[in-house]
Amino acid sequence: PARPPIAEVSRRDNLLRMDVWRYARAGLAGVVFLGPLAHVYYDLVAHFCAGWPTLAKVALDQTLYLALYNSIYYLTLGRLAGRPLLEVARQYSAQFWRLLRAGWKLWPFVGVITYTYVPTAHRVLFVDLVEIAYSAILSTMTTDTPPAEGEAEPLQAETFADSKRDIRP
């Protein structure tokens, strides 16, 4: 199967075969949807939750925000790959909890650092840098990891050059 962008760069044999259209779709999703979402979210948290303890902010991040972010990420990339929305939504819903749990392995630690040490003005930049690694993790999970007992099949990789219709970024 195809590798996530970071893995592609790290593998010498794939260096010249990176999927430019996949990068373009991911970039478009980030610029149009995910970047603005992050700015609005962190501005709202800074304004309305300023007096909250750090762990309460992290809990908000790990429930509402992460679920919304993952949903927008996969639904947008699936549609940009040319798949019908209902098909993308059905496949994503089967992976929802698995992907949310994957986020819980990284983002709580990032949240503690974000709300404890990173100034409000730089939070989106800091989180975006971590997001690069997180996207590679999600991408790898959705294509390379066999499902655990009782879990749905992983989301399939797609390339613009072939006729596969799936949602991997």
Side-chain angles (χ1 to χ4, degrees):
R3 307 294 300 171
I6 289 177
E8 287 182 23
V9 171
S10 68
R11 290 178 46 130
R12 188 170 177 229
D13 61 327
N14 283 338
L15 187 58
L16 299 177
R17 295 185 296 174
M18 293 185 297
D19 187 347
V20 174
W21 294 111
R22 191 166 124 215
Y23 287 115
R25 287 190 299 275
L28 182 64
V31 168
V32 174
F33 298 106
L34 301 174
L37 174 66
H39 280 279
V40 169
Y41 174 75
Y42 283 104
D43 285 346
L44 289 174
V45 169
H47 182 73
F48 292 108
C49 307
W52 288 21
T54 298
L55 292 181
K57 293 176 192 176
V58 170
L60 181 64
D61 284 2
Q62 298 315 300
T63 54
L64 297 177
Y65 181 66
L66 186 58
L68 178 63
Y69 183 97
N70 282 353
S71 299
I72 291 172
Y73 180 79
Y74 281 98
L75 294 174
T76 299
L77 290 174
R79 284 299 298 141
L80 290 174
R83 293 184 59 219
L85 183 58
L86 288 176
E87 179 185 323
V88 175
R90 196 169 24 254
Q91 190 178 20
Y92 172 66
S93 68
Q95 297 291 323
F96 177 83
W97 287 108
R98 179 175 177 243
L99 296 172
L100 200 63
R101 285 190 310 267
W104 293 340
K105 294 176 183 175
L106 170 68
W107 289 110
F109 304 105
V110 173
V112 169
I113 293 168
T114 300
Y115 294 118
T116 305
Y117 300 108
V118 179
T120 303
H122 302 295
R123 287 182 180 160
V124 172
L125 175 61
F126 173 72
V127 170
D128 282 347
L129 292 173
V130 177
E131 179 61 33
I132 293 168
Y134 180 63
S135 294
I137 291 166
L138 282 180
S139 184
T140 299
M141 282 189 62
T142 59
T143 59
D144 294 341
T145 305
E149 182 74 27
E151 285 189 340
E153 285 294 314
L155 305 172
Q156 297 300 307
E158 61 88 15
T159 63
F160 196 73
D162 64 24
S163 61
K164 293 180 187 170
R165 294 186 163 266
D166 53 47
I167 85 169
R168 178 162 151 215

